[in-house]
Each structure stands twice: as structure tokens, then as C-alpha cells.
Amino acid sequence: MADHINIQHPEKRGVESQYYRDRLEIEKLRLELKQLRMWHDQLERDLDSIFTRTAAGKETELHYPDGTVYVITGVERP
């Protein structure tokens, strides 16, 4: 059974309090930053793959959402 003397008014603890609004904003920003880092890392790996394959003389396919596919090569066009 709980037995403590320092009881806060519910408004001080509620979601209306500045403390909880600030904490919620911080957590939202942390999640957004985590997602952006994951997106950045994937883009970095994709670019690394393009340059690695191009340097090795291999083709790379770049697929767009509309279904268009571009072939990237390290060979100069005539």
C-alpha cells in the first residue's frame, strides 16, 4: 500500500503541465532524429553501392516509384 506525504495537485502532473509537454516534444524529436539517421544511413549505403559497382565496371539499376528504371554504368557513351 502506498504511503507518502508529498502529494501533488493533479494539474501539476497532468498532460497539461509544461513538464510533460516538454518531455513529449523531446521524445518526438528523438524519434524523428532516429528515423532521419536510418534514412541517411540507407542513402549512404545506396550511394556507396553505386560508386563501388561503377568503379568495378558493373551496372547499377536505379528504380523510381513510377516504375522507371535507369541503368548507371561507368562506361562512357560514344
Side-chain angles (χ1 to χ4, degrees), residues 14-75:
V15 291
E16 302 295 320
S17 74
Q18 186 64 40
Y19 171 76
Y20 286 107
R21 284 195 306 258
D22 290 346
R23 294 228 9 217
L24 183 60
E25 184 65 24
I26 289 169
E27 290 303 317
K28 286 179 182 178
L29 291 171
R30 281 184 181 150
L31 180 59
E32 184 177 344
L33 183 57
K34 179 181 177 183
Q35 293 297 318
L36 287 172
R37 283 181 178 155
M38 289 172 43
W39 181 66
H40 172 270
D41 292 346
Q42 182 60 51
L43 288 174
E44 186 176 41
R45 286 190 297 272
D46 289 348
L47 284 172
D48 184 49
S49 181
I50 290 170
F51 288 113
T52 299
R53 291 183 63 81
T54 302
K58 298 177 183 177
E59 292 183 348
T60 303
E61 293 181 353
L62 183 58
H63 295 258
Y64 277 78
D66 67 356
T68 305
V69 177
Y70 291 97
V71 178
I72 303 170
T73 65
V75 179

Side-chain angles (χ1 to χ4, degrees), residues 2-8:
D3 183 18
H4 54 277
I5 193 169
N6 188 7
I7 309 298
Q8 301 294 321

